[in-house]
Amino acid sequence: MASDREGARYRSRVRAVLGSIDPALDLVDACRRAKGMFPTEVAQWLPTEGRTGTSLEPHADDSYRCIPELHPLDGEWYFTEESSAILADLARRAPATRSLLLGMPTVAARLTGQDALLVDRSPFLHTRFPELSVPVERSEVSAVRVRPGFSVVLLDPPWYIDDFFAWLEIGMRAAEAGGRLIFPLFQELTRAEAAREREEILGLVESVGRVELVAGALDYDIPLFERRALSAGGVLLNKPWRRADLVVVHVTRSLPAVRAVPRVDAPHESWSTFVVGTQVVKVRDAAAAVDERLIDSVPGLANHLYDSVSRRESRRSLIDIWTSRNRVARIFNPQRVYAALNHLAGGEHDLPERARCLLAREGEDVEELLNMLEMPR
């Protein structure tokens, strides 16, 4: 957590960065220059009257539709096509031929005919990327055991310091001397403590080689769940805003003993996953039965639409069911919710009929769940 002094420095830096943004820029470009600040926060600081860049129209990358949809609990932010191509080119230009990718499926899908290994926990990779030809080890990256000897290691860690260090340690142990370690780095206004965390990350990788940093080189597409969170906060962006710096480490030394990094582990969360049409729906396994009602709203949210994607958000502990469209609710009767989702699970072709059958069987009790899931019927 940020100290009071760190928080004051952050606010001062925010004022300086936002004060330097040209008022003529549209809101998207303002967000891209805001060093990682979330767009709803940028919109609160900047006057938006007269700014363009907010629209109900989908951005250009929306023609590429992830099926099943990406989910915030899985940390699924994918690079744009342009950034995926940049990273794939860096992998191809490695001095040798063996690549390891930790959580970078959009990049791995471009590495045809190359000796590479992708580590990723998603069960949906080959559905989303039928062109994917490299071997896949389906695993939590933090739990994987890989041998050293990779000429290039690319990784896209979650943007939380404990996870970042865990992924970096795996990557540094896998990269051979003379190889490269490549990763995106969140920008300094991502949160109050981000500037300090960046220094710690760069200090660690400097212990194994020469570091290059290219500011603002990588962009992420806006997943549907994030677009919904932004819309709940009154911000509608028509093209990607999330940006990261590119770090390339030219590994010259074998990995030293990594210093102990204090970890603040979140309480273990276990979620069951259902695919309903194109949606991914997750249900917290620890939810306990309260009464016969199926679900109820999380306090303060309209139409079950959640306005955050952050792991640190205080209302997150109240969420028992969470969709890939960022709709959330509390569960009062897990058994009935599980039964309803099992009935609805499956593809899109007869989903309206499944929803109508469930409504006929369960009556008004299931109506709110169907509305939350945006069920056609």
Side-chain angles (χ1 to χ4, degrees), residues 207-228:
S207 68
V208 297
R210 179 173 60 85
V211 175
E212 291 182 56
L213 187 147
V214 184
L218 300 174
D219 294 324
Y220 290 85
D221 199 1
I222 309 178
L224 179 56
F225 63 78
E226 185 172 67
R227 295 180 67 189
R228 290 293 188 84

Side-chain angles (χ1 to χ4, degrees), residues 6 18 21 39 105 124 140 146 152 168 189-190 229 286 290 337 354:
E6 199 167 40
L18 296 186
I21 293 177
F124 306 125
E140 293 280 354
V146 294
V152 59
L168 272 178
L189 297 185
T190 300
V290 176
V337 171
R354 299 199 301 275

Side-chain angles (χ1 to χ4, degrees), residues 64-72 74 76-78 105 122-130 223-225 273-282 323-325 345-348:
Y64 177 73
R65 188 183 183 197
C66 278
I67 299 177
E69 295 161 7
L70 306 178
H71 200 285
D74 293 325
E76 293 179 316
W77 277 266
Y78 285 172
S122 174
F124 306 125
L125 290 180
H126 288 94
T127 303
R128 292 171 179 163
F129 305 98
L224 179 56
F225 63 78
T273 300
F274 300 83
V275 179
V276 178
T278 63
Q279 289 188 80
V280 174
V281 181
K282 291 186 178 282
T323 78
S324 51
R325 298 174 185 179
E348 290 185 281

